[in-house]
């Protein structure tokens, strides 16, 4: 009976008679696509044909234009890409398993021919011709993504930390769930099995996510690591962050997260298409996609992480879609063992349960398979509307399956004949399934139709690479922007690896304080400086801000010297670049820097790079701890307070006083000293002047007296001459008696001579005294000159005096690993060679 293509109806096979073991040719099983919105579970032992059945389902979905996201833990689903409309042996040749050929004693070519024949005949028996295969090939865009590997298409998980485009007011629960899943996955990746409610790791990371996403900020692992060390909030619940999760312990978490970045395969996680569900379901032109996420190569923790992340993304995407009753898309996971267990609670369980409960309303069908019915959480699977039960042998598998199915049926209001079912399940052949569909009145037993895809089994990574190579080349060609974006996403690893740079600061023990020098130079200023050095303008091919490691030390040193009346405290900031990894770190090489601790930033600029190699002094907490003491020693030995000293004036310069100011002050002091000395001299001389002056006065008086006497003598002599005349004339009267004493002329003459001598003596004495005054004046001038000269000279000698601090007066306030920003500019020089120059982007001068 030919296939009737009916949209919305999936041709899965034909009914099967268990008694005769015959397929009933005229009883096709056309499954209503809408029934998949209530999800399907496929169980059966290994080899029972589960994957074959699901491949059939996917092929039908593709033909119907229904997109699918497939999680492929074993590598079997990749076979969906092995469709060859012409079914030629050479089409099969690259994909056959050479071991199978050897086992059959055939050459690969012979074996490929055998396989091609099998497939041609198999398909023909189901009346599936080349046309249908071609239609399938064209119906959807089939692609294999290999998270964490570059074999297939790359997918960037970093975008999954992007702030979701959902409203926090209405979608709080979805967002919280998403955070919880992401965080659980991340913690699983680093080997922390965390209870979302109790684990402080989980709570801290979740709080960081919520804090960022509420603010619309994207996160990546590097930022996450930084925020673990320095959470952007003070409190978690009612507790202070430090109390809740002390820094020392947070460091352990940061280190563990850092191991993710440090792993060589991390780059693969950061490149490629973003994990955008909308884009995984449809191409840019609107063609449905069948997107396979191959995870066979990943470790258990990585698989858990990725699957959780993917499921959470699907939930977020789904919640942004309008409701529908039609099948909008499929999510298929081949083998869910470990992801949806009955008792344990791995991170994937919650989103899986959410999907099973909610996806229906959005038309999203979930298809799950397992060969381990015992390890499934059937409570969750009561939501599954279709059960495809394949061959099962182990009793406990059957029992558990029937328990689950029974509760699913009773949920749907139907009863289950356990005895009959038990018999049926035991009698099933390979590729024969018992379909329990809650939408059908009775269960159906059917054989799966021949898969159009070559069911070759798991492809190797190399085969995936071959399979996806043309596709990758096409992506690189048509999407240079995307390729560039991928480079940016991978800049931390890919670009950095080549140059010893990282996109994030290394994770260091919390005891090692890290600070960031402020960027004081713009990018264009940086380029200009590089151009100046190169002696002309340069055309940069690359510019980047690179943080290089340095040590910074802040200390205050108090200098006390009672004698010098010195009590000064100096603030000291020293920067010690750590440009060579193995160089011994010595504060002797440090330079003063004009920075205050308040100028420092506690986080780097965005999109900066970091030097990867750090000397042990700043990676080893103990070595780092010694640096403060070494700085104190260095300051103790080397730090002197230098004072200018004027020995003549006994003056010391004041703190901060320039040499010039000190000289001026000395001059003034000398002038004052000189003036004082001169005053003193003058005073001393004044005493002598005064004494001489007294003497002079006395002499002058004596002289005046002597001169008076002499005048009198002369007058008397005249008078006596006259008296003689007058006596003779009788006119003298009363005075005649005195004149009578002077009787003799000789006596009178003697007296006169005496008076003359007195005058002369007095005059001589005065002259002598005056000479003495002159001499004294001279002496004084001489003395003054000498004193003046002395004080003038006093300003000339200035010595340096050093005051050393006491050990207890040195206070080291902070030693930190200082990230010093530099602009690294790469340009082509005149000879066409690539050159890279770096200029400091921080303020260098003290
Ligand atoms: N629909 C089909 N068309 C053609 N061949 C099929 C089909 N289904 C199964 N087979 C064949 O049976 C083999 C085993 O089937 P399948 O891989 O689906 O088993 P399974 O139940 O998925 O086993 P496991 O649990 O080990 O994954 C396939 O490799 C293929 O050769
Ligand atoms: Mg399988």
């Amino acid at each position: 009976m030919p296939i009737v293509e009916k949209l919305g109806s999936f041709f899965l096979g034909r009914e099967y008679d268990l008694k005769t073991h015959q397929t009933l040719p005229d009883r096709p099983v056309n499954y209503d696509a809408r029934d998949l919105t209530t999800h399907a579970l496929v169980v059966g032992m290994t080899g029972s044909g589960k994957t074959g059945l699901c491949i059939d389902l996917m092929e039908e979905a593709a033909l119907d234009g229904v997109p699918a996201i497939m999680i492929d833990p074993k590598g079997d689903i990749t076979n969906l890409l092995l469709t060859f409309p012409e079914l030629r042996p050479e089409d099969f040749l690259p994909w056959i398993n050479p071991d199978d050929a050897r086992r059959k004693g055939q050459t690969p070519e012979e074996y490929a021919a055998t396989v091609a024949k099998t497939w041609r005949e198999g398909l023909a028996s189901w009346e599936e011709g080349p046309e249908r295969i071609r239609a399938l090939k064209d119906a959807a865009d089939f692609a294999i993504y290999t998270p964490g590997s570059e074999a297939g298409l790359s997918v960037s998980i970093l975008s999954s930390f992007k702030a979701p485009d959902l409203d926090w007011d209405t979608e709080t629960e979805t967002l919280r769930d998403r955070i919880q899943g992401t965080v659980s996955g991340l913690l699983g990746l680093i080997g922390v099995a965390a209870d979302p409610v109790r684990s402080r790791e989980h709570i801290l990371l979740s709080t960081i996510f919520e804090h960022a996403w509420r603010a619309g900020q994207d996160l990546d692992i590097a930022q996450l690591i930084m925020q673990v060390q320095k959470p952007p909030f003070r409190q978690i619940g009612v507790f202070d962050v430090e109390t809740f999760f002390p820094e020392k312990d947070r460091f352990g978490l940061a280190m563990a997260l850092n191991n993710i970045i440090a792993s060589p395969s991390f780059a693969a996680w950061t490149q490629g298409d973003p994990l955008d569900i909308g884009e995984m379901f449809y191409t840019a032109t609107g063609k449905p996609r069948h997107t396979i996420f191959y995870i066979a190569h990943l470790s258990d923790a990585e698989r858990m992480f990725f699957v959780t992340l993917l499921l959470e993304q699907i939930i977020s995407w789904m919640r942004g879609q309008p409701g529908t009753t039609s099948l909008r898309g499929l999510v298929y996971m081949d083998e869910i063992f470990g992801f949806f267990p009955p008792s344990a609670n791995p991170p994937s369980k919650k989103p899986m349960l959410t999907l099973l409960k909610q996806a229906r309303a959005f038309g999203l069908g979930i298809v799950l398979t397992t060969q381990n019915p015992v390890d499934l959480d059937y409570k969750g699977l009561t939501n599954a509307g279709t059960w495809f039960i394949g061959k099962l042998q182990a009793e406990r598998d059957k029992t558990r399956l029937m328990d689950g199915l029974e509760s699913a049926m009773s949920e749907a209001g139907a009863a289950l004949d356990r005895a009959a079912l038990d018999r049926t399940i035991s009698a099933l052949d390979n590729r024969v399934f018992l379909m329990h569909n809650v939408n059908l009145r009775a269960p159906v037993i059917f054989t799966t139709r021949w898969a159009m895809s070559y069911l070759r089994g798991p492809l190797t990574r190399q085969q995936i690479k071959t399979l996806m190579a043309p596709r990758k080349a096409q992506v690189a060609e048509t999407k240079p922007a995307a390729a560039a974006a991928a480079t940016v996403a991978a800049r931390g690893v890919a670009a950095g690896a080549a140059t010893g740079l990282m996109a994030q600061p290394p994770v260091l023990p919390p005891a090692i304080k890290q600070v960031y020098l402020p960027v004081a130079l713009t990018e264009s200023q940086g380029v200009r400086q590089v151009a100046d050095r190169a002696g002309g303008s340069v055309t940069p091919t690359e510019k980047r801000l690179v943080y290089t490691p340095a040590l910074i030390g802040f200390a205050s040193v108090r200098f006390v010297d009672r004698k010098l009346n010195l009590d000064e405290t100096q603030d000291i900031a020293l920067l010690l670049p750590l440009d060579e990894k193995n160089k011994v770190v010595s504060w002797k090489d440090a330079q003063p820097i004009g920075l205050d601790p308040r100028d420092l930033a506690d986080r780097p600029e965005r999109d900066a790079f970091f030097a990867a190699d750090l000397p042990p002094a700043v990676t080893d907490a103990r070595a780092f701890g010694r640096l403060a003491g070494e700085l104190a020693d260095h300051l103790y030995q080397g730090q002197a307070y230098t004072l200018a000293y004027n020995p003549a004036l006994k003056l010391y310069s004041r703190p901060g006083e320039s040499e010039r100011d000190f000289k001026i002050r000395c001059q003034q002091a000398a002038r004052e000293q000189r003036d004082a000395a001169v005053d003193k001299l003058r005073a001393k001389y004044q005493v002598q002047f005064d004494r001489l002056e007294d003497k002079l006065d006395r002499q002058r008086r004596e002289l005046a007296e002597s001169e008076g006497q002499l005048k009198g003598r002369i007058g008397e002599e005249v008078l006596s001459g006259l008296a003689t005349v007058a006596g003779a004339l009788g006119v003298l009267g009363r005075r005649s008696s005195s004149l009578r004493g002077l009787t003799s002329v000789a006596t009178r003459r003697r007296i006169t001579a005496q008076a003359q001598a007195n005058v002369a003596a007095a005059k001589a004495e005065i002259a002598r005294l005056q000479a003495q005054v002159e001499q004294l004046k001279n002496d004084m001038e001489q003395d003054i000159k000498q004193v003046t000269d002395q004080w003038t000279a006093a300003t000339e000698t200035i010595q340096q005096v050093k005051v050393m601090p006491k050990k207890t007066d040195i206070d080291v306030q902070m030693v930190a690993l200082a990230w010093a920003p530099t602009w690294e500019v790469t340009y082509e020089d005149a000879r066409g060679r690539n050159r890279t120059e770096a200029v400091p982007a921080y303020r260098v001068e003290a």
Side-chain angles (χ1 to χ4, degrees), residues 544-623:
R544 49 192 174 187
L545 191 65
V546 176
Y547 279 99
T548 58
L551 276 177
I552 198 164
F554 292 97
S556 70
V557 182
R558 188 174 163 204
F559 300 91
V560 184
D561 191 318
R562 292 271 138 64
K563 238 177 30 240
L564 304 184
N565 200 20
L566 176 75
D567 184 349
E568 268 303 305
T569 302
Q570 277 188 350
D571 291 325
I572 290 163
L574 292 178
L575 189 75
L576 172 59
L578 303 172
D579 27 25
E580 284 164 61
K581 185 180 178 342
N582 294 318
K583 201 164 150 188
V584 177
V585 171
S586 164
W587 285 107
K588 281 200 196 83
D589 305 323
Q591 293 296 323
I593 182 165
L595 271 184
D596 186 280
R598 280 166 304 185
D599 299 334
L600 301 170
D602 66 350
R603 45 197 83 216
E605 299 285 321
R606 279 195 158 243
D607 299 330
F609 289 89
F610 296 81
D613 275 351
L614 295 181
V618 291
T619 52
D620 177 77
R622 236 182 301 148

Side-chain angles (χ1 to χ4, degrees), residues 247-311:
E247 187 178 21
K248 192 164 60 64
D249 303 347
R250 292 204 307 274
F251 171 63
L253 176 58
M255 276 303 275
L257 287 170
N258 187 58
N259 289 342
I260 304 176
I261 298 184
S263 95
S265 64
F266 179 72
W269 289 97
T270 65
Q271 292 165 39
D273 295 343
L275 191 50
D276 181 319
I277 302 306
E279 313 231 322
M280 294 297 165
F281 271 144
Y282 285 96
T283 65
T285 55
K287 189 175 184 179
R289 292 187 75 184
H290 272 220
T291 302
I292 298 160
F293 290 104
Y294 174 95
I295 57 172
H297 58 295
L298 297 178
S299 71
D300 285 349
E302 287 170 335
R303 287 181 191 196
M304 181 56 72
F305 173 60
F306 179 74
V307 168
T308 306
L309 220 58
L310 179 62
L311 297 180

Side-chain angles (χ1 to χ4, degrees), residues 64-303:
D64 203 9
V66 175
I69 286 175
M70 293 163 262
I71 305 172
D72 189 4
K74 290 162 132 190
D76 287 327
I77 312 180
T78 53
N79 295 354
L80 260 180
L81 275 85
L82 306 181
T83 39
F84 316 111
E86 284 154 58
L87 298 164
R88 293 171 306 195
E90 58 264 41
D91 294 333
F92 289 84
L93 185 60
W95 314 107
I96 58 153
N97 186 345
D99 289 337
D100 290 346
R102 218 170 304 130
R103 263 194 296 274
K104 296 215 158 178
Q106 293 180 332
T107 65
E109 285 74 16
E110 285 164 356
Y111 184 64
T114 310
V115 168
K117 186 163 174 279
T118 312
W119 235 258
R120 198 175 320 116
E121 289 172 3
L123 285 171
S125 70
W126 288 86
E127 291 170 69
E128 297 175 284
E131 284 313 312
R132 201 161 195 250
I133 302 175
R134 198 165 289 117
L136 168 64
K137 226 178 157 51
D138 296 342
D141 172 58
F142 295 90
I144 303 170
Y145 283 86
T146 49
S149 153
E150 283 167 11
L153 299 181
S154 300
V155 57
S156 161
I157 54 141
L158 283 190
S159 58
S160 321
F161 296 163
K162 268 212 177 97
D165 203 10
L166 288 176
D167 189 343
W168 270 96
D169 290 334
T170 55
E171 300 284 353
T172 318
E173 207 186 321
T174 307
L175 285 158
R176 290 242 166 93
D177 281 353
R178 166 126 170 226
I179 289 173
Q180 188 185 314
T182 306
V183 169
S184 298
L186 256 179
L187 287 174
L189 209 51
I190 59 174
V192 179
D195 177 341
V197 187
R198 295 220 195 93
S199 136
R200 53 183 189 171
E201 285 86 357
H202 202 292
I203 294 169
L204 174 68
L205 288 179
S206 304
T207 311
I208 290 172
F209 268 99
E210 182 160 341
H211 188 267
W213 283 1
R214 271 188 186 274
Q217 286 162 359
D218 304 339
L219 282 172
D220 58 31
I221 292 189
Q223 278 164 340
L224 209 54
I225 292 169
M226 273 197 274
Q227 296 198 12
V228 163
Q229 294 179 92
K230 270 199 200 100
F233 39 80
R234 287 252 173 81
Q235 285 206 311
I236 291 183
V238 294
F239 285 109
D240 172 77
V241 171
E242 277 313 307
T243 316
F244 176 78
F245 199 165
E247 187 178 21
K248 192 164 60 64
D249 303 347
R250 292 204 307 274
F251 171 63
L253 176 58
M255 276 303 275
L257 287 170
N258 187 58
N259 289 342
I260 304 176
I261 298 184
S263 95
S265 64
F266 179 72
W269 289 97
T270 65
Q271 292 165 39
D273 295 343
L275 191 50
D276 181 319
I277 302 306
E279 313 231 322
M280 294 297 165
F281 271 144
Y282 285 96
T283 65
T285 55
K287 189 175 184 179
R289 292 187 75 184
H290 272 220
T291 302
I292 298 160
F293 290 104
Y294 174 95
I295 57 172
H297 58 295
L298 297 178
S299 71
D300 285 349
E302 287 170 335
R303 287 181 191 196

Side-chain angles (χ1 to χ4, degrees), residues 45-52 74 76-77 332 334-335 369 371:
M45 58 184 284
T46 180
S48 58
K50 301 180 296 297
T51 305
K74 290 162 132 190
D76 287 327
I77 312 180
Y332 161 39
D334 192 35
E335 193 51 74
T369 86
Q371 42 171 277

